[in-house]
Amino acid sequence: MAVSSISSIRRFSNSVMQRAINVVPKMTVSSEKVNKALGWIGNNISTPQNRFILGVTALATQPFIDLKNKQVDEDTRKVSAARTVAKIIAGTTTGVLIRSACIHAIDAFTKMPHEITEGMKFKKFRQLFMPNPKLINDLNQYKKSLGSILALFVMLFTNFLIDAPFTKYMTNKFIDMIHKKDAKKASVVKEAANE
């Protein structure tokens, strides 16, 4: 009974994915410049740069969406924008650093035999993640992919250990700054009204 229900779920999910793929229009890029640019992006932009681009884009758009929300009062809008900025900064910072560190760690332990020198530490482990050369086409892409996978597992823990406390700390700092600025503005308005 359980096997048939699992296979029916799998068939359903496959048909949904196939419908989604069929909706996407087919296209061929014939421009050499575009193909060259896409090739460069594929070879040089890895997950740390990807995360940075996402963070910058989010920082440039999301706080303004919070500030323009007319369904809540002004103070709530400001607090929501501050919380959003803190989340973006914390997530982007830790995401970029952890992804970069994991890719560098995988790179350090994925060395070809001729790359291992006398003065290297941990010589025994330098080929720990080295795959069979017949199985891969691009060792550099392999290292980036394996580092990104390792980073996903590391971030399962760092989201709770680093991101959440850092976001809370920054949110409180931003909210304090907002309240101080509002209090200063209110005192200036009050002084002007008294004169």
Side-chain angles (χ1 to χ4, degrees):
M1 181 73 175
V3 173
S4 64
S5 64
I6 291 173
S7 63
S8 63
I9 291 170
R10 187 173 292 140
R11 277 195 306 271
F12 174 74
S13 66
N14 287 340
S15 69
V16 169
M17 284 190 291
Q18 189 60 50
R19 286 184 197 150
I21 290 170
N22 291 342
V23 170
V24 176
K26 293 179 176 124
M27 63 182 264
T28 304
V29 178
S30 59
S31 169
E32 190 175 324
K33 286 183 179 180
V34 172
N35 283 332
K36 205 178 239 186
L38 290 174
W40 183 87
I41 290 169
N43 289 328
N44 296 307
I45 303 293
S46 188
T47 55
Q49 294 88 359
N50 232 343
R51 183 64 184 100
F52 181 75
I53 292 167
L54 286 173
V56 169
T57 305
L59 197 57
T61 56
Q62 291 180 357
F64 300 106
I65 294 169
D66 288 340
L67 290 171
K68 297 293 181 185
N69 185 1
K70 300 294 181 189
Q71 296 177 347
V72 294
D73 62 287
E74 186 177 349
D75 188 52
T76 305
R77 276 184 258 162
K78 289 178 183 178
V79 169
S80 178
R83 188 173 294 124
T84 299
V85 168
K87 282 181 187 177
I88 293 168
I89 291 172
T92 301
T93 303
T94 57
V96 169
L97 292 176
I98 290 168
R99 284 172 173 88
S100 294
C102 288
I103 289 172
H104 287 322
I106 291 296
D107 183 43
F109 295 103
T110 311
K111 297 290 181 192
M112 298 289 273
H114 67 274
E115 294 177 306
I116 300 172
T117 61
E118 272 308 307
M120 272 189 179
K121 295 179 182 178
F122 310 112
K123 280 186 190 179
K124 293 181 199 175
F125 300 108
R126 291 298 178 169
Q127 290 186 310
L128 185 65
F129 298 114
M130 189 65 195
N132 185 339
K134 296 175 185 174
L135 299 178
I136 59 165
N137 294 330
D138 188 353
L139 184 60
N140 195 31
Q141 290 292 348
Y142 167 80
K143 291 176 186 179
K144 289 178 183 177
S145 300
L146 195 58
S148 298
I149 292 168
L150 177 63
L152 289 174
F153 288 109
V154 170
M155 286 186 288
L156 289 173
F157 302 101
T158 60
N159 280 342
F160 301 105
L161 299 173
I162 299 171
D163 280 12
F166 187 42
T167 300
K168 185 177 179 182
Y169 172 78
M170 287 180 49
T171 300
N172 291 338
K173 287 288 185 188
F174 291 153
I175 291 171
D176 288 344
M177 288 170 44
I178 290 168
H179 289 312
K180 285 178 185 175
K181 188 176 179 182
D182 288 346
K184 189 176 180 181
K185 218 185 259 187
S187 68
V188 169
V189 170
K190 190 176 181 181
E191 286 176 13
N194 289 339
E195 291 177 359

